Amino acid sequence: QVQLVESGGGLVQPGGSLTLTCTASQFTWPLGYHPVGWFRQVPGKEREAVACISSGDDRSYYREDVRRRFIMSRDNVNHIVYLQMSDLRPEDTAVFYCATFRAGPCPADPNIGITHWGKGTNVTVSS
């Protein structure tokens, strides 16, 4: 059974950095065939898409408020996807999830085509 496991969350001060890791296992096809997204959710609010990295060219896309602070990358050999987060702000506090999409480019609507979810990792930005 396909599993996605996030790690790397924690407590960090404003302006600090964290790198989240999403490790995939039990995929029938190489993870590199699938776009992978990062999402976040604050309790009581809807889950929102943060970033996506495409299959093939590994092009990445970001929501506007993280564009110059977060970098997404992937290691297709080891089935790992990373989200490097810098200049973290209190409003980045959330549970972060990774998810895979159907093979192809990152979808225009990140709510469409999700095939698997991880269970999430907590990120708290506070002084």
Side-chain angles (χ1 to χ4, degrees), residues 1 3 8 24 36 49 52 58 62 66 74 80 89 93 95 104 124-125:
Q1 185 173 350
Q3 285 189 319
V36 180
C52 180
D58 288 352
Y62 305 90
V66 308
R74 62 194 302 163
I80 300 173
R89 306 167 181 171
T93 296
V95 179
T124 302
V125 185

Side-chain angles (χ1 to χ4, degrees), residues 14-73:
S17 300
L18 283 174
T19 297
L20 304 184
T21 299
C22 173
T23 303
S25 61
Q26 306 301 325
F27 264 81
T28 302
W29 301 276
L31 180 63
Y33 288 1
H34 297 267
V36 180
W38 282 97
F39 295 76
R40 65 188 181 187
Q41 187 170 26
V42 176
K45 294 189 177 180
E46 290 191 1
R47 185 155 39 193
E48 59 187 20
V50 174
C52 180
I53 188 165
S54 288
S55 58
D57 62 5
D58 288 352
R59 186 172 179 178
S60 52
Y61 305 86
Y62 305 90
R63 58 182 295 116
E64 184 60 35
D65 61 345
V66 308
R67 191 179 304 280
R68 278 169 283 279
R69 300 186 295 121
F70 292 7
I71 299 173
M72 197 169 174
S73 60

Side-chain angles (χ1 to χ4, degrees), residues 107-127:
D109 182 345
N111 296 306
I112 294 176
I114 294 172
T115 59
H116 301 91
W117 286 100
K119 295 186 183 302
T121 185
N122 281 290
V123 173
T124 302
V125 185
S126 174
S127 56

Side-chain angles (χ1 to χ4, degrees), residues 64-112:
E64 184 60 35
D65 61 345
V66 308
R67 191 179 304 280
R68 278 169 283 279
R69 300 186 295 121
F70 292 7
I71 299 173
M72 197 169 174
S73 60
R74 62 194 302 163
D75 174 354
N76 292 328
V77 173
N78 294 300
H79 309 293
I80 300 173
V81 174
Y82 301 96
L83 183 68
Q84 296 174 265
M85 306 186 296
S86 61
D87 190 22
L88 283 162
R89 306 167 181 171
E91 54 264 37
D92 294 317
T93 296
V95 179
F96 280 71
Y97 301 87
C98 64
T100 53
F101 295 94
R102 289 193 293 261
C106 287
D109 182 345
N111 296 306
I112 294 176

